[in-house]
Amino acid sequence: MTSAGRKISVHTVESYLAALTDSFILYQIGRYDIKGKQYLKTGEKYYAADIGLRYALLGTKKADMGHILENVVFLEFARRGYEVHIGKVGNTEVDFIVIGDEGEEYYQVAYTVNDTDGSTLRRELAPLESIKDHNPKYLLTMDNTPLTSHNGIKQLNALDWLLK
């Protein structure tokens, strides 16, 4: 809002976010420190209940397909009944920690990791590689690659994962 030339206080933003989560327009997801095994009081993330609302507000020209895919994956976790958290490992973030009947699983979501120098793949795998427990770890992308394993981290096509 300040970039649009409007003055707004932190309290006002918090009130707006509370109203949007209370009305089920946004979902608030808390952050969990994986190494410290504790919930953090700051750093929540918000996901839209309907991606169409994002398009209505921002239009399609500012569409960031990676964030949209992450939002869709979150909604699918919620639909499947998982308990969902955002993970923190040191200074890096794990997109999702999900807890279900099978236990904990870790997920990174990226629209694509197929760049020429491999930097996106390394960036997305780094948080998962730094987790030292033996829970399943996944990288979901829209890349059309067969099931791939990166040191035990399974890379899956997001559409295939959504359909299972």
Side-chain angles (χ1 to χ4, degrees), residues 2-36:
T2 54
S3 64
R6 296 185 177 165
K7 293 182 180 179
I8 189 166
S9 70
V10 172
H11 176 71
T12 302
V13 172
E14 289 173 345
S15 295
Y16 287 169
L17 288 172
L20 290 168
T21 55
D22 289 347
S23 61
F24 300 103
I25 293 172
L26 294 178
Y27 291 99
Q28 178 185 359
I29 306 302
R31 194 172 298 270
Y32 183 77
D33 185 350
I34 296 169
K35 288 187 178 180

PDB file of all heavy atoms in Angstrom, residues 2-36:
ATOM      1  N   THR A   2       1.971   1.194   0.720  1.00  0.00           N
ATOM      2  CA  THR A   2       2.816   2.375   0.737  1.00  0.00           C
ATOM      3  C   THR A   2       3.428   2.623  -0.640  1.00  0.00           C
ATOM      4  O   THR A   2       3.659   3.773  -0.995  1.00  0.00           O
ATOM      5  CB  THR A   2       3.940   2.265   1.783  1.00  0.00           C
ATOM      6  OG1 THR A   2       4.669   1.064   1.557  1.00  0.00           O
ATOM      7  CG2 THR A   2       3.384   2.263   3.193  1.00  0.00           C
ATOM      8  N   SER A   3       3.684   1.567  -1.401  1.00  0.00           N
ATOM      9  CA  SER A   3       4.220   1.762  -2.751  1.00  0.00           C
ATOM     10  C   SER A   3       3.188   2.412  -3.661  1.00  0.00           C
ATOM     11  O   SER A   3       3.534   3.016  -4.666  1.00  0.00           O
ATOM     12  CB  SER A   3       4.689   0.437  -3.342  1.00  0.00           C
ATOM     13  OG  SER A   3       3.601  -0.444  -3.501  1.00  0.00           O
ATOM     14  N   ALA A   4       1.907   2.305  -3.304  1.00  0.00           N
ATOM     15  CA  ALA A   4       0.838   2.962  -4.063  1.00  0.00           C
ATOM     16  C   ALA A   4       0.581   4.377  -3.540  1.00  0.00           C
ATOM     17  O   ALA A   4      -0.364   5.029  -3.962  1.00  0.00           O
ATOM     18  CB  ALA A   4      -0.443   2.141  -3.992  1.00  0.00           C
ATOM     19  N   GLY A   5       1.405   4.837  -2.581  1.00  0.00           N
ATOM     20  CA  GLY A   5       1.280   6.193  -2.069  1.00  0.00           C
ATOM     21  C   GLY A   5       0.293   6.333  -0.928  1.00  0.00           C
ATOM     22  O   GLY A   5      -0.100   7.446  -0.578  1.00  0.00           O
ATOM     23  N   ARG A   6      -0.097   5.225  -0.313  1.00  0.00           N
ATOM     24  CA  ARG A   6      -1.040   5.292   0.806  1.00  0.00           C
ATOM     25  C   ARG A   6      -0.320   4.965   2.102  1.00  0.00           C
ATOM     26  O   ARG A   6       0.463   4.026   2.180  1.00  0.00           O
ATOM     27  CB  ARG A   6      -2.168   4.289   0.597  1.00  0.00           C
ATOM     28  CG  ARG A   6      -2.981   4.604  -0.618  1.00  0.00           C
ATOM     29  CD  ARG A   6      -4.144   3.689  -0.737  1.00  0.00           C
ATOM     30  NE  ARG A   6      -4.926   4.100  -1.895  1.00  0.00           N
ATOM     31  CZ  ARG A   6      -5.833   3.365  -2.444  1.00  0.00           C
ATOM     32  NH1 ARG A   6      -6.107   2.180  -1.963  1.00  0.00           N
ATOM     33  NH2 ARG A   6      -6.493   3.800  -3.487  1.00  0.00           N
ATOM     34  N   LYS A   7      -0.607   5.748   3.119  1.00  0.00           N
ATOM     35  CA  LYS A   7      -0.037   5.491   4.439  1.00  0.00           C
ATOM     36  C   LYS A   7      -0.937   4.486   5.155  1.00  0.00           C
ATOM     37  O   LYS A   7      -2.157   4.636   5.171  1.00  0.00           O
ATOM     38  CB  LYS A   7       0.073   6.776   5.236  1.00  0.00           C
ATOM     39  CG  LYS A   7       1.070   7.743   4.652  1.00  0.00           C
ATOM     40  CD  LYS A   7       1.186   8.977   5.512  1.00  0.00           C
ATOM     41  CE  LYS A   7       2.202   9.919   4.881  1.00  0.00           C
ATOM     42  NZ  LYS A   7       2.344  11.146   5.649  1.00  0.00           N
ATOM     43  N   ILE A   8      -0.301   3.502   5.747  1.00  0.00           N
ATOM     44  CA  ILE A   8      -1.069   2.474   6.455  1.00  0.00           C
ATOM     45  C   ILE A   8      -0.223   1.960   7.616  1.00  0.00           C
ATOM     46  O   ILE A   8       0.985   1.781   7.484  1.00  0.00           O
ATOM     47  CB  ILE A   8      -1.481   1.342   5.488  1.00  0.00           C
ATOM     48  CG1 ILE A   8      -2.464   0.382   6.147  1.00  0.00           C
ATOM     49  CG2 ILE A   8      -0.271   0.618   4.945  1.00  0.00           C
ATOM     50  CD1 ILE A   8      -3.155  -0.544   5.182  1.00  0.00           C
ATOM     51  N   SER A   9      -0.859   1.719   8.745  1.00  0.00           N
ATOM     52  CA  SER A   9      -0.134   1.245   9.920  1.00  0.00           C
ATOM     53  C   SER A   9      -0.119  -0.281   9.940  1.00  0.00           C
ATOM     54  O   SER A   9      -0.924  -0.947   9.292  1.00  0.00           O
ATOM     55  CB  SER A   9      -0.795   1.769  11.193  1.00  0.00           C
ATOM     56  OG  SER A   9      -2.041   1.133  11.400  1.00  0.00           O
ATOM     57  N   VAL A  10       0.805  -0.820  10.706  1.00  0.00           N
ATOM     58  CA  VAL A  10       0.894  -2.270  10.880  1.00  0.00           C
ATOM     59  C   VAL A  10      -0.406  -2.800  11.483  1.00  0.00           C
ATOM     60  O   VAL A  10      -0.912  -3.849  11.067  1.00  0.00           O
ATOM     61  CB  VAL A  10       2.107  -2.622  11.765  1.00  0.00           C
ATOM     62  CG1 VAL A  10       2.116  -4.099  12.117  1.00  0.00           C
ATOM     63  CG2 VAL A  10       3.404  -2.222  11.083  1.00  0.00           C
ATOM     64  N   HIS A  11      -0.960  -2.078  12.435  1.00  0.00           N
ATOM     65  CA  HIS A  11      -2.211  -2.496  13.073  1.00  0.00           C
ATOM     66  C   HIS A  11      -3.340  -2.614  12.045  1.00  0.00           C
ATOM     67  O   HIS A  11      -4.133  -3.548  12.087  1.00  0.00           O
ATOM     68  CB  HIS A  11      -2.594  -1.504  14.173  1.00  0.00           C
ATOM     69  CG  HIS A  11      -3.913  -1.817  14.816  1.00  0.00           C
ATOM     70  ND1 HIS A  11      -4.087  -2.907  15.643  1.00  0.00           N
ATOM     71  CD2 HIS A  11      -5.119  -1.201  14.729  1.00  0.00           C
ATOM     72  CE1 HIS A  11      -5.354  -2.945  16.039  1.00  0.00           C
ATOM     73  NE2 HIS A  11      -5.993  -1.918  15.499  1.00  0.00           N
ATOM     74  N   THR A  12      -3.405  -1.679  11.109  1.00  0.00           N
ATOM     75  CA  THR A  12      -4.447  -1.714  10.081  1.00  0.00           C
ATOM     76  C   THR A  12      -4.272  -2.932   9.180  1.00  0.00           C
ATOM     77  O   THR A  12      -5.232  -3.630   8.871  1.00  0.00           O
ATOM     78  CB  THR A  12      -4.425  -0.423   9.244  1.00  0.00           C
ATOM     79  OG1 THR A  12      -4.611   0.688  10.120  1.00  0.00           O
ATOM     80  CG2 THR A  12      -5.507  -0.423   8.179  1.00  0.00           C
ATOM     81  N   VAL A  13      -3.042  -3.218   8.789  1.00  0.00           N
ATOM     82  CA  VAL A  13      -2.771  -4.393   7.953  1.00  0.00           C
ATOM     83  C   VAL A  13      -3.161  -5.661   8.698  1.00  0.00           C
ATOM     84  O   VAL A  13      -3.803  -6.562   8.133  1.00  0.00           O
ATOM     85  CB  VAL A  13      -1.289  -4.435   7.522  1.00  0.00           C
ATOM     86  CG1 VAL A  13      -0.966  -5.752   6.829  1.00  0.00           C
ATOM     87  CG2 VAL A  13      -0.963  -3.258   6.629  1.00  0.00           C
ATOM     88  N   GLU A  14      -2.793  -5.750   9.980  1.00  0.00           N
ATOM     89  CA  GLU A  14      -3.162  -6.918  10.778  1.00  0.00           C
ATOM     90  C   GLU A  14      -4.676  -7.059  10.881  1.00  0.00           C
ATOM     91  O   GLU A  14      -5.204  -8.176  10.815  1.00  0.00           O
ATOM     92  CB  GLU A  14      -2.533  -6.822  12.170  1.00  0.00           C
ATOM     93  CG  GLU A  14      -1.040  -7.020  12.172  1.00  0.00           C
ATOM     94  CD  GLU A  14      -0.396  -6.753  13.519  1.00  0.00           C
ATOM     95  OE1 GLU A  14      -1.053  -6.136  14.412  1.00  0.00           O
ATOM     96  OE2 GLU A  14       0.774  -7.128  13.685  1.00  0.00           O
ATOM     97  N   SER A  15      -5.386  -5.957  11.018  1.00  0.00           N
ATOM     98  CA  SER A  15      -6.855  -6.000  11.080  1.00  0.00           C
ATOM     99  C   SER A  15      -7.443  -6.483   9.761  1.00  0.00           C
ATOM    100  O   SER A  15      -8.384  -7.286   9.749  1.00  0.00           O
ATOM    101  CB  SER A  15      -7.416  -4.619  11.412  1.00  0.00           C
ATOM    102  OG  SER A  15      -7.022  -4.219  12.692  1.00  0.00           O
ATOM    103  N   TYR A  16      -6.901  -5.996   8.652  1.00  0.00           N
ATOM    104  CA  TYR A  16      -7.369  -6.444   7.333  1.00  0.00           C
ATOM    105  C   TYR A  16      -7.128  -7.942   7.149  1.00  0.00           C
ATOM    106  O   TYR A  16      -8.011  -8.674   6.682  1.00  0.00           O
ATOM    107  CB  TYR A  16      -6.669  -5.680   6.217  1.00  0.00           C
ATOM    108  CG  TYR A  16      -7.098  -4.246   6.031  1.00  0.00           C
ATOM    109  CD1 TYR A  16      -6.377  -3.398   5.217  1.00  0.00           C
ATOM    110  CD2 TYR A  16      -8.214  -3.719   6.674  1.00  0.00           C
ATOM    111  CE1 TYR A  16      -6.748  -2.068   5.027  1.00  0.00           C
ATOM    112  CE2 TYR A  16      -8.595  -2.395   6.500  1.00  0.00           C
ATOM    113  CZ  TYR A  16      -7.868  -1.584   5.678  1.00  0.00           C
ATOM    114  OH  TYR A  16      -8.233  -0.275   5.501  1.00  0.00           O
ATOM    115  N   LEU A  17      -5.933  -8.390   7.510  1.00  0.00           N
ATOM    116  CA  LEU A  17      -5.622  -9.813   7.359  1.00  0.00           C
ATOM    117  C   LEU A  17      -6.513 -10.676   8.246  1.00  0.00           C
ATOM    118  O   LEU A  17      -6.977 -11.744   7.825  1.00  0.00           O
ATOM    119  CB  LEU A  17      -4.146 -10.073   7.666  1.00  0.00           C
ATOM    120  CG  LEU A  17      -3.164  -9.566   6.611  1.00  0.00           C
ATOM    121  CD1 LEU A  17      -1.728  -9.692   7.117  1.00  0.00           C
ATOM    122  CD2 LEU A  17      -3.341 -10.308   5.303  1.00  0.00           C
ATOM    123  N   ALA A  18      -6.776 -10.224   9.466  1.00  0.00           N
ATOM    124  CA  ALA A  18      -7.674 -10.969  10.358  1.00  0.00           C
ATOM    125  C   ALA A  18      -9.078 -11.052   9.770  1.00  0.00           C
ATOM    126  O   ALA A  18      -9.719 -12.107   9.806  1.00  0.00           O
ATOM    127  CB  ALA A  18      -7.708 -10.309  11.736  1.00  0.00           C
ATOM    128  N   ALA A  19      -9.555  -9.952   9.212  1.00  0.00           N
ATOM    129  CA  ALA A  19     -10.896  -9.952   8.599  1.00  0.00           C
ATOM    130  C   ALA A  19     -10.947 -10.892   7.403  1.00  0.00           C
ATOM    131  O   ALA A  19     -11.934 -11.625   7.213  1.00  0.00           O
ATOM    132  CB  ALA A  19     -11.281  -8.533   8.181  1.00  0.00           C
ATOM    133  N   LEU A  20      -9.897 -10.909   6.597  1.00  0.00           N
ATOM    134  CA  LEU A  20      -9.875 -11.785   5.421  1.00  0.00           C
ATOM    135  C   LEU A  20      -9.768 -13.261   5.802  1.00  0.00           C
ATOM    136  O   LEU A  20     -10.367 -14.114   5.144  1.00  0.00           O
ATOM    137  CB  LEU A  20      -8.720 -11.389   4.492  1.00  0.00           C
ATOM    138  CG  LEU A  20      -8.897 -10.049   3.779  1.00  0.00           C
ATOM    139  CD1 LEU A  20      -7.590  -9.606   3.129  1.00  0.00           C
ATOM    140  CD2 LEU A  20     -10.023 -10.114   2.766  1.00  0.00           C
ATOM    141  N   THR A  21      -9.040 -13.573   6.869  1.00  0.00           N
ATOM    142  CA  THR A  21      -8.974 -14.970   7.307  1.00  0.00           C
ATOM    143  C   THR A  21     -10.263 -15.382   8.016  1.00  0.00           C
ATOM    144  O   THR A  21     -10.729 -16.512   7.843  1.00  0.00           O
ATOM    145  CB  THR A  21      -7.757 -15.231   8.217  1.00  0.00           C
ATOM    146  OG1 THR A  21      -7.783 -14.327   9.310  1.00  0.00           O
ATOM    147  CG2 THR A  21      -6.468 -15.097   7.456  1.00  0.00           C
ATOM    148  N   ASP A  22     -10.859 -14.479   8.777  1.00  0.00           N
ATOM    149  CA  ASP A  22     -12.133 -14.790   9.444  1.00  0.00           C
ATOM    150  C   ASP A  22     -13.250 -15.033   8.435  1.00  0.00           C
ATOM    151  O   ASP A  22     -14.180 -15.787   8.698  1.00  0.00           O
ATOM    152  CB  ASP A  22     -12.547 -13.662  10.400  1.00  0.00           C
ATOM    153  CG  ASP A  22     -11.667 -13.592  11.632  1.00  0.00           C
ATOM    154  OD1 ASP A  22     -10.895 -14.547  11.891  1.00  0.00           O
ATOM    155  OD2 ASP A  22     -11.732 -12.560  12.338  1.00  0.00           O
ATOM    156  N   SER A  23     -13.166 -14.386   7.284  1.00  0.00           N
ATOM    157  CA  SER A  23     -14.197 -14.557   6.255  1.00  0.00           C
ATOM    158  C   SER A  23     -13.834 -15.653   5.254  1.00  0.00           C
ATOM    159  O   SER A  23     -14.509 -15.814   4.243  1.00  0.00           O
ATOM    160  CB  SER A  23     -14.440 -13.234   5.525  1.00  0.00           C
ATOM    161  OG  SER A  23     -13.253 -12.818   4.889  1.00  0.00           O
ATOM    162  N   PHE A  24     -12.759 -16.411   5.521  1.00  0.00           N
ATOM    163  CA  PHE A  24     -12.323 -17.543   4.692  1.00  0.00           C
ATOM    164  C   PHE A  24     -11.946 -17.133   3.273  1.00  0.00           C
ATOM    165  O   PHE A  24     -12.041 -17.931   2.345  1.00  0.00           O
ATOM    166  CB  PHE A  24     -13.377 -18.660   4.673  1.00  0.00           C
ATOM    167  CG  PHE A  24     -13.671 -19.200   6.032  1.00  0.00           C
ATOM    168  CD1 PHE A  24     -14.833 -18.833   6.694  1.00  0.00           C
ATOM    169  CD2 PHE A  24     -12.769 -20.034   6.669  1.00  0.00           C
ATOM    170  CE1 PHE A  24     -15.103 -19.312   7.959  1.00  0.00           C
ATOM    171  CE2 PHE A  24     -13.032 -20.515   7.940  1.00  0.00           C
ATOM    172  CZ  PHE A  24     -14.204 -20.152   8.591  1.00  0.00           C
ATOM    173  N   ILE A  25     -11.482 -15.908   3.098  1.00  0.00           N
ATOM    174  CA  ILE A  25     -10.958 -15.471   1.805  1.00  0.00           C
ATOM    175  C   ILE A  25      -9.474 -15.827   1.731  1.00  0.00           C
ATOM    176  O   ILE A  25      -8.965 -16.184   0.681  1.00  0.00           O
ATOM    177  CB  ILE A  25     -11.189 -13.964   1.599  1.00  0.00           C
ATOM    178  CG1 ILE A  25     -12.697 -13.707   1.476  1.00  0.00           C
ATOM    179  CG2 ILE A  25     -10.435 -13.444   0.380  1.00  0.00           C
ATOM    180  CD1 ILE A  25     -13.095 -12.253   1.448  1.00  0.00           C
ATOM    181  N   LEU A  26      -8.795 -15.753   2.873  1.00  0.00           N
ATOM    182  CA  LEU A  26      -7.394 -16.156   2.985  1.00  0.00           C
ATOM    183  C   LEU A  26      -7.250 -17.211   4.065  1.00  0.00           C
ATOM    184  O   LEU A  26      -8.013 -17.234   5.032  1.00  0.00           O
ATOM    185  CB  LEU A  26      -6.505 -14.961   3.359  1.00  0.00           C
ATOM    186  CG  LEU A  26      -6.359 -13.820   2.370  1.00  0.00           C
ATOM    187  CD1 LEU A  26      -5.471 -12.733   2.972  1.00  0.00           C
ATOM    188  CD2 LEU A  26      -5.796 -14.295   1.044  1.00  0.00           C
ATOM    189  N   TYR A  27      -6.240 -18.066   3.891  1.00  0.00           N
ATOM    190  CA  TYR A  27      -5.838 -19.009   4.930  1.00  0.00           C
ATOM    191  C   TYR A  27      -4.500 -18.548   5.483  1.00  0.00           C
ATOM    192  O   TYR A  27      -3.592 -18.218   4.725  1.00  0.00           O
ATOM    193  CB  TYR A  27      -5.666 -20.425   4.367  1.00  0.00           C
ATOM    194  CG  TYR A  27      -6.944 -21.081   3.939  1.00  0.00           C
ATOM    195  CD1 TYR A  27      -7.322 -21.098   2.605  1.00  0.00           C
ATOM    196  CD2 TYR A  27      -7.762 -21.703   4.866  1.00  0.00           C
ATOM    197  CE1 TYR A  27      -8.489 -21.720   2.205  1.00  0.00           C
ATOM    198  CE2 TYR A  27      -8.933 -22.332   4.480  1.00  0.00           C
ATOM    199  CZ  TYR A  27      -9.287 -22.327   3.144  1.00  0.00           C
ATOM    200  OH  TYR A  27     -10.450 -22.946   2.751  1.00  0.00           O
ATOM    201  N   GLN A  28      -4.361 -18.555   6.805  1.00  0.00           N
ATOM    202  CA  GLN A  28      -3.102 -18.196   7.449  1.00  0.00           C
ATOM    203  C   GLN A  28      -2.402 -19.480   7.877  1.00  0.00           C
ATOM    204  O   GLN A  28      -3.008 -20.331   8.542  1.00  0.00           O
ATOM    205  CB  GLN A  28      -3.356 -17.321   8.674  1.00  0.00           C
ATOM    206  CG  GLN A  28      -2.096 -16.950   9.405  1.00  0.00           C
ATOM    207  CD  GLN A  28      -2.375 -16.175  10.689  1.00  0.00           C
ATOM    208  OE1 GLN A  28      -3.509 -15.900  11.032  1.00  0.00           O
ATOM    209  NE2 GLN A  28      -1.315 -15.839  11.393  1.00  0.00           N
ATOM    210  N   ILE A  29      -1.130 -19.595   7.499  1.00  0.00           N
ATOM    211  CA  ILE A  29      -0.354 -20.783   7.845  1.00  0.00           C
ATOM    212  C   ILE A  29       0.842 -20.339   8.669  1.00  0.00           C
ATOM    213  O   ILE A  29       1.604 -19.453   8.267  1.00  0.00           O
ATOM    214  CB  ILE A  29       0.143 -21.514   6.569  1.00  0.00           C
ATOM    215  CG1 ILE A  29      -1.027 -21.808   5.638  1.00  0.00           C
ATOM    216  CG2 ILE A  29       0.895 -22.782   6.925  1.00  0.00           C
ATOM    217  CD1 ILE A  29      -2.117 -22.630   6.250  1.00  0.00           C
ATOM    218  N   GLY A  30       1.004 -20.972   9.821  1.00  0.00           N
ATOM    219  CA  GLY A  30       2.095 -20.619  10.717  1.00  0.00           C
ATOM    220  C   GLY A  30       3.415 -21.240  10.303  1.00  0.00           C
ATOM    221  O   GLY A  30       3.472 -22.176   9.511  1.00  0.00           O
ATOM    222  N   ARG A  31       4.471 -20.711  10.870  1.00  0.00           N
ATOM    223  CA  ARG A  31       5.829 -21.155  10.567  1.00  0.00           C
ATOM    224  C   ARG A  31       6.324 -22.052  11.706  1.00  0.00           C
ATOM    225  O   ARG A  31       6.056 -21.790  12.877  1.00  0.00           O
ATOM    226  CB  ARG A  31       6.724 -19.924  10.396  1.00  0.00           C
ATOM    227  CG  ARG A  31       8.053 -20.204   9.771  1.00  0.00           C
ATOM    228  CD  ARG A  31       8.786 -18.909   9.451  1.00  0.00           C
ATOM    229  NE  ARG A  31       8.090 -18.091   8.494  1.00  0.00           N
ATOM    230  CZ  ARG A  31       8.257 -18.173   7.180  1.00  0.00           C
ATOM    231  NH1 ARG A  31       9.081 -19.046   6.688  1.00  0.00           N
ATOM    232  NH2 ARG A  31       7.604 -17.369   6.366  1.00  0.00           N
ATOM    233  N   TYR A  32       7.070 -23.098  11.340  1.00  0.00           N
ATOM    234  CA  TYR A  32       7.587 -24.067  12.297  1.00  0.00           C
ATOM    235  C   TYR A  32       9.087 -24.227  12.081  1.00  0.00           C
ATOM    236  O   TYR A  32       9.540 -24.448  10.949  1.00  0.00           O
ATOM    237  CB  TYR A  32       6.879 -25.407  12.099  1.00  0.00           C
ATOM    238  CG  TYR A  32       7.278 -26.483  13.073  1.00  0.00           C
ATOM    239  CD1 TYR A  32       6.792 -26.477  14.374  1.00  0.00           C
ATOM    240  CD2 TYR A  32       8.141 -27.501  12.699  1.00  0.00           C
ATOM    241  CE1 TYR A  32       7.150 -27.474  15.279  1.00  0.00           C
ATOM    242  CE2 TYR A  32       8.505 -28.496  13.586  1.00  0.00           C
ATOM    243  CZ  TYR A  32       8.012 -28.469  14.873  1.00  0.00           C
ATOM    244  OH  TYR A  32       8.376 -29.445  15.768  1.00  0.00           O
ATOM    245  N   ASP A  33       9.864 -24.095  13.163  1.00  0.00           N
ATOM    246  CA  ASP A  33      11.311 -24.276  13.098  1.00  0.00           C
ATOM    247  C   ASP A  33      11.604 -25.770  13.194  1.00  0.00           C
ATOM    248  O   ASP A  33      11.386 -26.395  14.230  1.00  0.00           O
ATOM    249  CB  ASP A  33      11.988 -23.515  14.242  1.00  0.00           C
ATOM    250  CG  ASP A  33      13.501 -23.567  14.171  1.00  0.00           C
ATOM    251  OD1 ASP A  33      14.058 -24.328  13.357  1.00  0.00           O
ATOM    252  OD2 ASP A  33      14.140 -22.824  14.935  1.00  0.00           O
ATOM    253  N   ILE A  34      12.076 -26.341  12.095  1.00  0.00           N
ATOM    254  CA  ILE A  34      12.272 -27.790  12.025  1.00  0.00           C
ATOM    255  C   ILE A  34      13.377 -28.241  12.966  1.00  0.00           C
ATOM    256  O   ILE A  34      13.217 -29.227  13.686  1.00  0.00           O
ATOM    257  CB  ILE A  34      12.571 -28.212  10.566  1.00  0.00           C
ATOM    258  CG1 ILE A  34      11.353 -27.905   9.693  1.00  0.00           C
ATOM    259  CG2 ILE A  34      12.954 -29.678  10.486  1.00  0.00           C
ATOM    260  CD1 ILE A  34      11.581 -28.023   8.215  1.00  0.00           C
ATOM    261  N   LYS A  35      14.496 -27.531  12.988  1.00  0.00           N
ATOM    262  CA  LYS A  35      15.614 -27.937  13.848  1.00  0.00           C
ATOM    263  C   LYS A  35      15.295 -27.702  15.318  1.00  0.00           C
ATOM    264  O   LYS A  35      15.626 -28.506  16.163  1.00  0.00           O
ATOM    265  CB  LYS A  35      16.885 -27.211  13.449  1.00  0.00           C
ATOM    266  CG  LYS A  35      17.457 -27.710  12.139  1.00  0.00           C
ATOM    267  CD  LYS A  35      18.800 -27.097  11.846  1.00  0.00           C
ATOM    268  CE  LYS A  35      19.330 -27.675  10.535  1.00  0.00           C
ATOM    269  NZ  LYS A  35      20.619 -27.150  10.171  1.00  0.00           N
ATOM    270  N   GLY A  36      14.661 -26.576  15.636  1.00  0.00           N
ATOM    271  CA  GLY A  36      14.344 -26.246  17.024  1.00  0.00           C
ATOM    272  C   GLY A  36      13.069 -26.901  17.518  1.00  0.00           C
ATOM    273  O   GLY A  36      12.753 -26.845  18.698  1.00  0.00           O
TER     274      GLY A  36
END
